[in-house]
């Protein structure tokens, strides 16, 4: 995701395809894993770390080592395997972490053996009916 696209995304706000996180620590692998799984199952999207729910850029602190550890932790818990992009960007002298998640090709995807989907601006656990709709 390039800088112009990030700025446009920030103007549009959270949606079915965009999740802002600022209060959840980057070390909260479970929260991020659930969101990634949900986007894989729901047409793809972006998790933007360092932006408040109101779209205000607050920034996030993450060094390269922590980012690599985060990627490794997540890749081992999402099945089947999926390509997800983690990029650091700087806007208004504040660092953002943008996680780009493509639409999954092998749905349903699971995080720690649980299936999640997007429902508007929310990530929720998929119920039996949602899972049936994915596989038929």
């Amino acid at each position: 995701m390039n800088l112009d696209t990030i700025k446009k995304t920030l103007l549009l706000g959270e949606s079915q395809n965009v999740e802002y996180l600022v209060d959840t620590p980057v070390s909260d692998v479970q929260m991020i894993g659930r969101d990634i799984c949900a986007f894989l199952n729901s047409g793809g999207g972006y998790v933007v770390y360092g932006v408040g729910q109101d779209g205000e850029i607050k920034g996030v602190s993450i060094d390269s080592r922590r980012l690599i550890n985060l990627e490794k932790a997540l890749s081992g818990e999402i099945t089947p395997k999926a390509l997800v992009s983690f990029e650091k960007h700087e806007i208004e002298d504040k660092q953002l972490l943008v996680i780009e998640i493509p639409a999954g090709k092998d749905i349903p995807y699971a995080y720690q053996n649980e299936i999640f989907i997007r429902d508007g601006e929310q990530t929720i656990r998929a119920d039996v009916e949602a899972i049936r709709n994915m596989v038929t």
Side-chain angles (χ1 to χ4, degrees):
M1 178 181 254
N2 66 38
L3 203 53
D4 288 335
T5 305
I6 293 171
K7 289 179 181 178
K8 289 177 187 173
T9 301
L10 295 177
L11 290 174
L12 296 173
E14 282 192 310
S15 67
Q16 174 75 19
N17 302 92
V18 177
E19 176 78 18
Y20 296 154
L21 294 175
V22 73
D23 296 328
T24 304
V26 177
S27 60
D28 189 346
V29 177
Q30 279 197 322
M31 174 72 130
I32 300 169
R34 291 174 182 163
D35 285 337
I36 290 172
C37 177
F39 283 118
L40 286 165
N41 289 325
S42 304
Y46 300 93
V47 175
V48 184
Y49 241 104
V51 177
Q53 300 300 314
D54 57 0
E56 180 184 352
I57 298 170
K58 303 199 180 230
V60 65
S61 176
I62 184 166
D63 61 37
S64 296
R65 185 180 53 84
R66 283 181 49 207
L67 183 56
I68 290 168
N69 290 340
L70 176 65
E71 289 179 61
K72 284 181 183 178
L74 289 167
S75 70
E77 297 292 336
I78 296 173
T79 54
K81 298 285 184 209
L83 291 176
V84 176
S85 169
F86 293 75
E87 297 179 352
K88 292 191 287 185
H89 293 277
E90 192 168 303
I91 296 179
E92 298 176 6
D93 295 325
K94 295 178 182 166
Q95 187 175 323
L96 299 181
L97 172 62
V98 178
I99 305 171
E100 183 174 355
I101 305 113
K105 297 188 185 300
D106 297 319
I107 59 175
Y109 287 83
Y111 174 72
Q112 295 183 337
N113 295 318
E114 292 185 87
I115 298 171
F116 297 89
I117 58 172
R118 289 291 286 177
D119 182 19
E121 298 174 7
Q122 301 292 316
T123 292
I124 61 169
R125 184 174 287 113
D127 61 16
V128 173
E129 189 62 33
I131 295 168
R132 278 193 193 123
N133 290 335
M134 281 188 244
V135 296
T136 56

